[in-house]
C-alpha cells in the first residue's frame, strides 16, 4: 500500500518570479491569459513577418508545413484537412502554443499583444471573424471554435476491448488473398536514404505521419 | 518434409539451391556440407597471429563496422523537416528486449537540445503546498527505482492505416524502444511539494512540459502520476542520451510515447487538463464519422515478427528456421504470442524468451522448419487482461482509416520461395 508521505527536505521554494516565467500555460477557460489585445489586421502584418514563410500568407500552409486554415467539414472525408478552424477545439490552445513554441526556430519571441493579433488573424483566415475583429483577454472566451464538440474521451474500453478477445487457432478463414503490397507503392528509403527526394513526390498518395 | 526433419545435415543439393537463391553470401554462413577443407580453418588467419586493438584505443566504443546497417533510419517524406520529425529503431536486426540507446528511435518537435546538468532545473508548482525548484543534484538524493519499460510513439505503424506502405519492420514498427530506467518516482517528488492543498486528488491532473522550444506539454491524470510514473535520469545503466532527454525525462509506463516528456522542466498540479496542442491538434484520433477520441493514453497489445521480415530475408535455404519478434502491451504483461504462416488460417503458439513483464517488450521465438514454400507470416499478441491483438480490418471496422495513431494491428509479411519478405495486407 502507499507509504505515508515522507519529506526529504530537498529542493527549495520556487520564487514568484520563477513561477511566472515558466508557468505560462493557458486553460480552455482562459485561465492564465495575460492582459492584452490585438486585431486581425495587425495580426496579418505580424503573421506576414514571422509566420507566412512556412504557413503561407493566408495561413493555408506552404509545401509540407502545417495548414492553419481551411478544411471546414472535411473531418469525415477520406483525407481530412485538420486545421485550427476545422479541427482544434479550444482557442486557448492556439494562444498557448503560438506564445510558447512559435515561430519554429525562434520560439518565445512574441509579445502578448502580438500573440493576440496572430490569434485574431488565424480566426480571420478561417472565416470565423471579420478583419476588424479585436481579440483581447476580455472577450477571449466569447469565441467558440467550430469543432469544440468534436471530441470524445477514449472509449476503447466500451467499443474495442469487449470484441478484441477471440484467438481462433485453426480453420480461422477459408482463403487468404494478398490485397495490398508495399513494394508496389515503393516509398521505402533505400540504403543511405538516397531515394528520399524521389519519393517525396509521392507524398500526396502516401498518407504521412502528422506534422 | 517429414524425411528432411530426420536429417539434420541438408543434402549437398539442398545446400546448393539455398546458396543459389540467396547469393554467394550464404556460402560463408553455413557449414552444412563441405566440398573440401575450409581455408578459414586450414590456413592461419591474421587475427590468430597478429595483435588486436589495445584497451586504450576506445574509451567508449561503437559497434564493429560490420554492423553498420544496424542504425536509426529516417523517412524524409513523412515530415516537413528533420527537426520536428521521427526516426526508427532497427528492430529487424536486434534480439532480446533491451534497445541499445545509440540506435533507439528519436522523436523531437523542436530538435534534440543540449542541456547541461548544471543548467538543469525542475519546477513543481500549481496546487501544491509549497512550489519547489530542484537541481539535478537534488534529484539524485531521492530514493531510486529501476524499471524496464517500452516507449512506443503513438504514431508507430500510423503510416500503415490505409494500406501496406513501408517495406520493413524498422519502418512499420520501429518507433519503439525498451530500456531499463533509473529514477525517482513522480509520486515522491509530488509528495515532497505536498498535495494537501490539492484536496481530493481524484479530479486533479499534472501538466508536464519540457525545456525545449516545443515544450511538448501534456496533461496526465493524478491517478497515473501517483501510480508508476518515473522521473528518470539513467537508461540502460548510463545517463540518458541527449536525444532521449538528457539529463532528465519522464517515463509513463504503457502510455503513448508523446507523454514521456524529455528534458522535463516543470510539473504543475492542476484541477483541469490543459488541452494543450499535443492533446488536441495532435494525439487525438479521428474516427470514421469525423468525431475524434482524445486522451487515448494506453498503448494496446501489439506484436511484430522482426525476422524473417523485408530487411531480414531468409538466406539459408530450407530447413531449421527461427521466427522471432517482439510483443508488448501498455495494459499489463504479455501472456502469449501466436504465429501464423498462412495468413491467419491456422496458428501455433510461440515460445516467450522470458515471461512477459509489465509494460515492457517481450521476445518470442517459433523454432520451426521451412519447407521452401511461400509463407504469409503473422504474429498475434495476448495480454493478461484477455485482450487479443486485432487485425487491421477489425480496427478499421471500429475506427475507419484516419485515426493516425494507435495502430496495433496484426502485421503480415509475405515470404516468397527465395526467402525474400514483403509488407502486404491480406484478406
Amino acid at each position: 500500500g502507499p507509504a505515508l508521505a515522507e519529506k526529504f527536505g530537498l529542493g527549495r521554494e520556487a520564487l514568484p518570479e520563477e513561477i511566472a516565467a515558466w508557468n505560462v500555460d493557458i486553460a480552455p477557460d482562459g485561465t492564465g491569459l495575460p492582459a492584452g489585445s490585438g486585431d486581425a489586421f495587425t495580426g496579418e502584418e505580424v503573421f506576414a513577418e514571422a509566420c507566412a514563410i512556412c504557413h503561407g500568407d493566408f495561413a493555408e500552409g506552404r509545401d509540407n508545413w502545417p495548414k492553419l486554415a481551411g478544411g471546414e467539414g472535411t473531418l469525415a472525408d477520406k483525407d481530412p484537412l485538420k486545421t485550427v478552424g476545422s479541427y482544434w477545439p479550444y482557442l486557448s490552445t492556439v494562444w498557448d502554443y503560438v506564445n510558447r513554441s512559435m515561430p519554429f526556430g525562434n520560439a518565445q519571441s512574441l509579445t502578448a499583444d502580438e500573440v493576440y493579433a496572430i490569434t485574431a488573424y488565424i480566426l480571420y483566415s478561417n472565416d470565423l471573424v471579420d478583419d476588424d475583429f479585436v481579440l483581447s483577454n476580455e472577450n477571449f472566451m466569447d469565441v467558440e471554435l467550430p469543432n469544440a464538440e468534436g471530441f470524445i474521451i477514449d472509449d476503447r474500453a466500451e467499443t474495442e476491448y469487449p470484441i478484441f478477445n477471440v484467438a481462433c487457432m485453426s480453420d480461422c478463414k477459408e482463403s487468404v488473398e494478398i490485397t495490398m503490397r508495399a513494394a508496389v507503392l515503393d516509398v521505402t528509403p533505400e540504403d543511405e536514404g538516397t531515394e528520399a527526394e524521389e519519393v517525396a513526390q509521392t507524398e500526396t498518395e502516401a498518407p504521412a505521419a502528422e506534422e | 518434409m517429414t524425411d528432411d526433419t530426420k536429417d539434420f545435415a541438408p543434402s549437398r543439393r539442398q545446400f546448393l539451391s539455398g546458396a543459389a537463391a540467396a547469393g554467394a553470401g550464404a556460402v560463408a554462413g553455413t557449414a552444412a556440407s563441405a566440398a573440401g577443407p575450409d581455408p578459414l580453418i586450414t590456413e592461419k588467419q591474421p587475427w590468430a597471429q597478429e595483435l588486436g586493438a589495445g584497451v586504450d584505443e576506445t574509451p567508449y566504443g561503437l559497434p564493429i563496422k560490420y554492423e553498420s546497417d544496424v542504425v536509426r533510419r529516417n523517412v524524409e517524406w513523412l515530415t516537413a523537416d528533420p527537426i520536428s520529425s521521427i526516426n526508427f529503431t532497427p528492430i529487424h536486426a536486434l534480439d532480446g528486449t533491451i534497445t541499445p540507446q545509440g540506435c533507439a528511435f528519436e522523436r523531437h518537435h523542436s530538435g534534440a537540445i543540449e542541456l547541461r546538468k548544471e543548467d538543469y532545473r525542475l519546477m513543481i508548482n500549481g496546487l501544491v503546498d509549497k512550489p519547489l525548484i530542484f537541481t539535478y543534484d537534488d534529484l539524485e538524493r531521492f530514493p531510486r527505482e529501476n524499471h524496464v519499460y517500452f516507449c512506443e510513439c503513438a504514431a508507430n505503424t500510423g503510416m500503415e492505416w490505409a494500406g501496406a506502405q513501408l517495406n520493413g519492420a524498422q519502418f512499420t514498427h520501429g518507433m519503439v524502444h525498451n530500456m531499463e530506467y533509473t529514477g525517482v518516482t513522480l509520486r515522491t517528488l509530488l509528495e515532497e511539494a505536498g498535495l494537501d492543498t490539492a484536496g481530493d486528488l481524484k479530479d486533479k491532473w499534472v501538466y508536464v512540459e519540457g525545456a525545449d522550444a516545443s515544450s511538448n506539454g501534456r496533461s496526465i491524470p493524478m491517478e497515473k502520476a501517483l501510480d508508476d510514473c518515473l522521473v528518470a535520469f539513467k537508461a540502460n545503466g548510463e545517463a540518458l542520451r541527449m536525444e532521449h532527454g538528457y539529463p532528465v525525462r519522464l517515463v509513463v509506463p504503457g502510455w503513448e510515447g508523446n507523454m514521456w516528456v524529455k528534458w522535463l522542466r516543470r510539473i504543475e498540479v492542476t484541477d483541469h487538463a490543459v488541452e494543450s496542442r499535443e492533446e488536441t491538434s495532435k494525439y487525438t484520433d479521428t474516427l470514421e464519422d469525423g468525431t475524434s477520441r482524445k486522451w487515448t493514453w494506453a498503448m494496446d497489445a501489439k506484436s511484430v515478427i522482426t525476422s524473417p521480415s523485408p530487411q531480414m530475408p531468409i538466406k539459408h535455404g530450407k530447413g531449421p528456421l527461427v521466427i522471432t519478434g517482439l510483443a508488448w502491451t501498455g495494459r499489463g504483461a504479455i501472456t502469449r504470442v501466436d504465429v501464423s504462416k498462412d495468413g491467419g488460417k491456422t496458428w501455433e503458439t510461440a515460445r516467450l524468451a522470458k515471461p512477459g513483464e509489465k509494460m515492457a517488450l517481450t521476445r518470442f521465438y517459433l523454432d520451426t522448419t521451412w519447407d521452401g514454400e511461400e509463407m504469409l507470416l503473422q504474429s498475434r499478441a495476448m495480454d493478461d487482461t484477455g485482450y487479443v491483438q486485432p487485425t487491421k480490418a477489425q480496427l478499421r471496422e471500429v475506427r475507419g482509416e484516419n485515426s493516425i495513431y494507435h495502430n496495433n494491428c496484426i502485421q503480415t509479411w509475405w515470404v516468397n520461395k527465395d526467402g525474400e519478405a514483403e509488407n502486404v495486407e491480406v484478406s
Side-chain angles (χ1 to χ4, degrees), chain B residues 347-374:
Chain B
W347 296 83
E348 46 195 315
T349 297
R351 170 172 65 88
L352 303 185
K354 285 194 292 185
E357 292 170 23
K358 282 182 76 175
M359 288 88 156
L361 294 190
T362 299
R363 172 65 57 179
F364 67 86
Y365 297 104
L366 185 73
D367 308 298
T368 189
T369 303
W370 186 43
D371 59 9
E373 294 302 310
E374 287 187 5

Coordinates of all heavy atoms in Angstrom, one line a residue, chain B residues 347-374:
Chain B
W347 N -2.9 -21.2 -36.5 CA -1.9 -20.5 -35.6 C -1.2 -21.5 -34.8 O -1.8 -22.6 -34.4 CB -2.7 -19.5 -34.7 CG -3.3 -18.4 -35.5 CD1 -4.5 -18.4 -36.1 CD2 -2.7 -17.1 -35.7 NE1 -4.7 -17.1 -36.7 CE2 -3.7 -16.3 -36.5 CE3 -1.5 -16.4 -35.3 CZ2 -3.4 -15.0 -36.9 CZ3 -1.3 -15.1 -35.7 CH2 -2.3 -14.4 -36.5
E348 N 0.0 -21.3 -34.4 CA 0.7 -22.1 -33.4 C 1.3 -21.1 -32.4 O 1.6 -20.0 -32.7 CB 1.7 -23.0 -34.0 CG 2.7 -22.4 -35.0 CD 3.4 -23.4 -35.8 OE1 4.0 -24.4 -35.2 OE2 3.5 -23.2 -37.0
T349 N 1.3 -21.6 -31.1 CA 1.8 -20.7 -30.1 C 3.3 -20.7 -30.0 O 3.9 -21.7 -30.0 CB 1.2 -21.1 -28.7 OG1 -0.3 -21.0 -28.8 CG2 1.7 -20.3 -27.6
A350 N 3.8 -19.5 -30.0 CA 5.3 -19.3 -29.9 C 5.8 -19.4 -28.5 O 5.0 -19.5 -27.6 CB 5.7 -17.9 -30.5
R351 N 7.1 -19.4 -28.4 CA 7.8 -19.5 -27.1 C 8.2 -18.1 -26.6 O 8.9 -17.4 -27.4 CB 9.0 -20.5 -27.2 CG 9.9 -20.6 -26.1 CD 11.0 -21.7 -26.4 NE 11.8 -21.4 -27.5 CZ 13.0 -20.8 -27.5 NH1 13.4 -20.3 -26.3 NH2 13.7 -20.6 -28.6
L352 N 7.9 -17.7 -25.4 CA 8.3 -16.5 -24.9 C 9.7 -16.7 -24.3 O 9.9 -17.6 -23.5 CB 7.4 -15.9 -23.8 CG 5.9 -15.7 -24.2 CD1 5.1 -15.0 -23.1 CD2 5.8 -14.9 -25.5
A353 N 10.7 -15.8 -24.6 CA 12.0 -16.0 -24.1 C 12.1 -15.9 -22.6 O 12.8 -16.5 -22.0 CB 13.0 -14.9 -24.8
K354 N 11.2 -15.0 -22.1 CA 11.0 -14.9 -20.6 C 9.5 -14.6 -20.4 O 8.9 -14.1 -21.3 CB 11.8 -13.7 -20.1 CG 13.3 -13.9 -19.9 CD 14.0 -12.9 -19.1 CE 13.9 -11.5 -19.7 NZ 14.7 -10.5 -19.0
P355 N 9.0 -14.8 -19.3 CA 7.6 -14.5 -19.0 C 7.5 -12.9 -19.3 O 8.4 -12.2 -18.9 CB 7.4 -14.8 -17.5 CG 8.4 -15.8 -17.2 CD 9.6 -15.5 -18.1
G356 N 6.3 -12.6 -19.8 CA 6.1 -11.2 -20.1 C 6.2 -10.3 -18.9 O 5.7 -10.7 -17.8
E357 N 6.8 -9.1 -19.0 CA 6.9 -8.2 -17.9 C 6.0 -7.0 -18.1 O 5.8 -6.7 -19.3 CB 8.4 -7.7 -17.7 CG 9.3 -8.8 -17.2 CD 10.8 -8.4 -17.3 OE1 11.0 -7.2 -17.3 OE2 11.6 -9.3 -17.4
K358 N 5.5 -6.4 -17.1 CA 4.6 -5.3 -17.2 C 5.1 -4.1 -18.1 O 6.2 -3.6 -17.8 CB 4.2 -4.7 -15.9 CG 3.1 -5.6 -15.1 CD 2.7 -5.0 -13.8 CE 1.8 -3.9 -14.0 NZ 1.3 -3.3 -12.7
M359 N 4.4 -3.8 -19.1 CA 4.7 -2.6 -19.9 C 6.2 -2.6 -20.4 O 6.8 -1.6 -20.5 CB 4.5 -1.3 -19.1 CG 3.1 -1.0 -18.9 SD 2.4 -1.7 -17.4 CE 1.1 -0.6 -17.1
A360 N 6.6 -3.8 -20.8 CA 8.0 -4.0 -21.4 C 7.9 -4.9 -22.6 O 7.0 -5.7 -22.8 CB 8.9 -4.6 -20.3
L361 N 8.9 -4.7 -23.5 CA 9.0 -5.6 -24.6 C 9.2 -7.0 -24.2 O 9.9 -7.3 -23.3 CB 10.1 -5.1 -25.6 CG 10.0 -3.8 -26.3 CD1 11.0 -3.7 -27.4 CD2 8.6 -3.6 -26.9
T362 N 8.6 -7.9 -24.9 CA 8.7 -9.4 -24.7 C 9.2 -10.0 -26.0 O 8.6 -9.8 -27.0 CB 7.4 -10.0 -24.2 OG1 7.0 -9.3 -23.0 CG2 7.5 -11.5 -24.0
R363 N 10.2 -10.8 -25.9 CA 10.8 -11.5 -27.1 C 10.1 -12.9 -27.2 O 9.9 -13.6 -26.3 CB 12.3 -11.7 -26.9 CG 13.0 -12.5 -28.0 CD 13.0 -12.0 -29.3 NE 13.5 -10.6 -29.4 CZ 13.6 -10.0 -30.6 NH1 13.2 -10.5 -31.7 NH2 14.1 -8.7 -30.6
F364 N 9.7 -13.2 -28.5 CA 9.1 -14.5 -28.7 C 9.9 -15.2 -29.9 O 10.5 -14.5 -30.7 CB 7.6 -14.5 -29.0 CG 7.3 -13.8 -30.3 CD1 7.2 -14.5 -31.6 CD2 6.9 -12.4 -30.3 CE1 6.9 -13.8 -32.7 CE2 6.6 -11.8 -31.5 CZ 6.6 -12.5 -32.7
Y365 N 9.9 -16.5 -29.8 CA 10.5 -17.4 -30.8 C 9.6 -18.5 -31.3 O 8.9 -19.0 -30.4 CB 11.8 -18.0 -30.3 CG 12.9 -17.0 -29.9 CD1 13.1 -16.8 -28.5 CD2 13.7 -16.4 -30.8 CE1 14.1 -15.9 -28.2 CE2 14.7 -15.5 -30.5 CZ 14.9 -15.3 -29.1 OH 15.9 -14.4 -28.8
L366 N 9.6 -18.8 -32.5 CA 9.0 -20.0 -33.0 C 10.1 -20.8 -33.8 O 10.5 -20.3 -34.8 CB 7.8 -19.7 -34.0 CG 7.1 -21.0 -34.4 CD1 6.3 -21.6 -33.2 CD2 6.1 -20.7 -35.6
D367 N 10.6 -21.8 -33.2 CA 11.6 -22.6 -33.8 C 11.0 -23.6 -34.7 O 10.3 -24.5 -34.3 CB 12.4 -23.3 -32.7 CG 12.9 -22.4 -31.6 OD1 13.7 -21.5 -31.9 OD2 12.4 -22.5 -30.4
T368 N 11.2 -23.4 -36.0 CA 10.4 -24.2 -37.0 C 11.3 -24.7 -38.1 O 12.5 -24.5 -38.1 CB 9.3 -23.3 -37.5 OG1 8.4 -24.1 -38.3 CG2 9.8 -22.2 -38.3
T369 N 10.7 -25.3 -39.1 CA 11.4 -25.8 -40.3 C 10.7 -25.2 -41.5 O 9.5 -25.3 -41.6 CB 11.3 -27.4 -40.3 OG1 11.8 -27.9 -39.1 CG2 12.1 -27.9 -41.5
W370 N 11.5 -24.6 -42.3 CA 11.0 -24.0 -43.6 C 11.1 -25.0 -44.7 O 12.2 -25.5 -45.0 CB 11.7 -22.7 -43.9 CG 11.1 -22.0 -45.0 CD1 9.8 -21.8 -45.3 CD2 11.8 -21.4 -46.1 NE1 9.6 -21.0 -46.4 CE2 10.8 -20.8 -47.0 CE3 13.1 -21.2 -46.5 CZ2 11.1 -20.1 -48.1 CZ3 13.5 -20.5 -47.6 CH2 12.5 -19.9 -48.5
D371 N 9.9 -25.3 -45.4 CA 10.0 -26.2 -46.5 C 10.2 -25.5 -47.8 O 10.2 -26.2 -48.9 CB 8.6 -27.0 -46.5 CG 7.4 -26.0 -46.7 OD1 7.7 -24.8 -47.0 OD2 6.3 -26.5 -46.6
G372 N 10.6 -24.2 -47.8 CA 10.9 -23.5 -49.0 C 9.7 -23.0 -49.7 O 9.8 -22.4 -50.8
E373 N 8.5 -23.2 -49.2 CA 7.3 -22.6 -49.8 C 7.0 -21.2 -49.3 O 7.5 -20.8 -48.3 CB 6.1 -23.6 -49.5 CG 6.2 -25.0 -50.1 CD 6.4 -24.9 -51.6 OE1 5.6 -24.2 -52.3 OE2 7.3 -25.5 -52.2
E374 N 6.1 -20.6 -50.0 CA 5.7 -19.2 -49.6 C 5.0 -19.3 -48.3 O 4.3 -20.2 -47.9 CB 4.7 -18.7 -50.6 CG 5.3 -18.2 -51.9 CD 4.3 -17.5 -52.8 OE1 3.1 -17.3 -52.4 OE2 4.6 -17.2 -54.0

